[in-house]
């Protein structure tokens, strides 16, 4: 839905204007309004209002006829908003007052009765929770799609060797599939963080009214059930002032973005001609306006950059809340833009990466040749000597000397012949060469969590089961 920017002002009175002797200035009106951005919660606002109205009728606080009028009016409003014909009005401050005012214009007094036993304070808290719940359900879906994309590529490359790095120095051989599975694990934890956040967010604030509860005989459990909440917020002051759920959401989103940003950094590095491990599909890259040869990994770079803005929103929300006394303060209206922007950034990033990953073209030859340049199987040689009875520290020392010899001769460990290798330890025999190959090194790490192709395939199967 596109965001409408209301400009129209009218002379009819604002919902709370009865107490005031002069209207607010246009600047103040604009400064205090939230309808520019909170109109995107209109579906949740109407859902919440309908559940509230049904409860009011059940409890005989309003009549059945009132409820019927409210339901008819709301159906009209839904149609108007969906058709882009709803007139969002700056004078009515926020999504809640805009909808309530239109309802009253459509159905008269029943519209004015809707706000019985309720405040915008518990209303907005309910709307955000409903909106966030819907949003998190969508995000879980996207996280799973990205995991599925990574699993697909990992399966294709369950046996493709690449250098594993520590300190960005060649460390030991891993398979590209194994490397990708690391991100599947991160995203799995991300999913569980959102599930956890959803569980705490899924409680009903309505009934708290402004802050202290209401004098009407309401049935909060009924409203909670109508709206699919697991229960009610237990304390009315907390119900209207708590924004922990928004902060938790931004924290969970920050971690997803951290993971995507690390992956982006790797993609950028791997795509650099100096490394040349992969290529990204053209539709995720852009050219340079001056250098005709360039193909830049703009999408991963932007994802890395947008991570900063999501962190900023988390810090913004924490700061927003830290000085607020109980209960509701207008400060809280500032929760929405960071929250919405965090969700939008995350959703777009996940969608684009789920599409980008299957299009990664792996240059296995470049990975293999990089593996011949960093003595990637040195640890395997040390382990070999240990298995022949040498204490590990001595084995480490012997192999380090062999590496220095290779450096001097500009060759790799398997390029030394048996006689030369035996200068470093007479325990070395001709079974050493299978140990020094990349395939031997990979296959030997054959335990849960290891990089052996058989283990990678088993890990893919387990991850698919979780999906
Ligand atoms: N627009 C407000 C918000 O987003 C709604 C609640 C306003 N309540 C109030 N007492 N002014 O937080």
């Amino acid at each position: 839905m596109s965001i409408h920017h209301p400009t129209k002002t009218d002379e009819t009175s604002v919902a709370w204007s009865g107490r005031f002797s002069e209207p607010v200035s246009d600047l103040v009106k604009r400064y205090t309004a939230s309808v520019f951005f909170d109109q995107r919660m209109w579906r949740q606002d109407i859902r919440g209002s309908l559940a509230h109205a049904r409860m009011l009728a059940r409890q005989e606080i309003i009549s059945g006829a009132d409820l019927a009028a409210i339901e008819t009016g709301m159906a009209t409003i839904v149609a108007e908003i969906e058709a882009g014909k709803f007139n969002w009005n700056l004078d009515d401050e926020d999504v809640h007052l805009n909808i309530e005012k239109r309802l009253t214009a459509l159905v008269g007094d029943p519209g004015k009765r809707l706000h019985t036993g309720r405040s915008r304070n518990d209303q907005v808290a309910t709307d955000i929770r409903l909106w966030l719940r819907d949003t998190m359900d969508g995000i879980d879906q996207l996280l799973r799609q990205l995991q599925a994309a990574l699993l697909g590529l990992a399966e294709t490359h369950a046996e493709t060797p690449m250098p594993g790095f520590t300190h960005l120095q060649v460390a030991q051989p891993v398979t590209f599939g194994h490397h990708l599975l690391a991100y599947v694990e991160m995203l799995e934890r991300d999913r569980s963080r959102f599930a956890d956040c959803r569980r705490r967010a899924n409680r009903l604030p309505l009934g708290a009214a402004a802050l202290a509860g209401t004098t009407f005989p309401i049935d909060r459990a009924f409203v909670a059930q109508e709206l699919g909440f697991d229960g009610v917020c237990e304390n009315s002051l907390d119900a209207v002032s708590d924004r922990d759920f928004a902060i938790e959401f931004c924290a969970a989103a920050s971690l997803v973005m951290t993971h995507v940003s690390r992956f982006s950094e790797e993609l950028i590095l791997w795509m650099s001609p100096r490394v040349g491990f992969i290529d990204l599909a053209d539709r995720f890259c852009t050219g340079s306006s001056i250098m005709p040869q360039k193909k830049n990994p703009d999408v991963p770079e932007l994802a890395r950059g947008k991570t900063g803005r999501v962190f900023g929103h988390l810090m913004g929300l924490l700061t927003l809340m830290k000085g607020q006394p109980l209960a509701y303060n207008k400060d809280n209206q500032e929760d929405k833009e960071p929250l919405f922007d965090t969700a939008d950034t995350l959703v777009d990033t996940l969608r684009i990466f789920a599409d980008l990953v299957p299009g990664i073209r792996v240059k296995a030859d470049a990975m293999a040749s990089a593996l011949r340049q960093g003595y990637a199987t040195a640890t395997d040689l040390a382990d070999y000597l240990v298995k022949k009875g040498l204490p590990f520290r001595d084995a480490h020392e012997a192999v380090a000397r062999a590496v220095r010899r290779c450096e001097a001769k500009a060759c790799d460990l398997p390029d030394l012949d048996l006689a030369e290798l035996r200068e470093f330890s007479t325990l070395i025999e001709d079974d050493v060469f299978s140990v020094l190959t990349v395939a031997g090194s990979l296959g030997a790490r054959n335990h849960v969590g290891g990089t052996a192709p058989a283990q990678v395939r088993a890990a893919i199967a387990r991850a698919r089961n979780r999906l």
Side-chain angles (χ1 to χ4, degrees), residues 34 38 93-94 96 119-121 124 243 328-330 332-333 335-336:
S34 54
D38 66 14
E93 204 177 307
D94 55 26
H96 325 291
S119 154
R120 272 184 298 153
N121 298 350
V124 69
R243 295 292 183 274
Y328 178 87
N329 304 279
K330 186 76 169 181
N332 282 336
Q333 185 167 288
D335 63 354
K336 284 167 214 61

Side-chain angles (χ1 to χ4, degrees), residues 4-10 14-16 33-39 42 45-46 49 73-74 77 80-81 86-106 111 114 118 120 123:
H4 303 274
H5 285 264
T7 47
K8 184 179 163 290
T9 62
D10 68 28
V14 194
W16 39 258
S34 54
V35 63
F36 301 107
F37 46 84
D38 66 14
Q39 59 183 264
W42 65 270
D45 194 66
I46 291 174
S49 287
M74 287 301 198
I77 293 173
E80 287 176 353
I81 299 176
F86 189 88
N87 183 22
W88 297 101
N89 191 339
L90 184 63
D91 283 308
D92 295 319
E93 204 177 307
D94 55 26
V95 61
H96 325 291
L97 293 179
N98 266 267
I99 289 175
E100 189 188 318
K101 185 141 182 197
R102 179 66 186 140
L103 180 68
T104 300
L106 285 167
L114 172 61
R118 175 178 89 165
R120 272 184 298 153
Q123 188 179 355

Side-chain angles (χ1 to χ4, degrees), residues 46 50 69-80 82 103 106:
I46 291 174
L50 288 173
I70 290 169
E71 285 178 331
T72 311
M74 287 301 198
T76 304
I77 293 173
V78 168
E80 287 176 353
E82 280 178 344
L103 180 68
L106 285 167

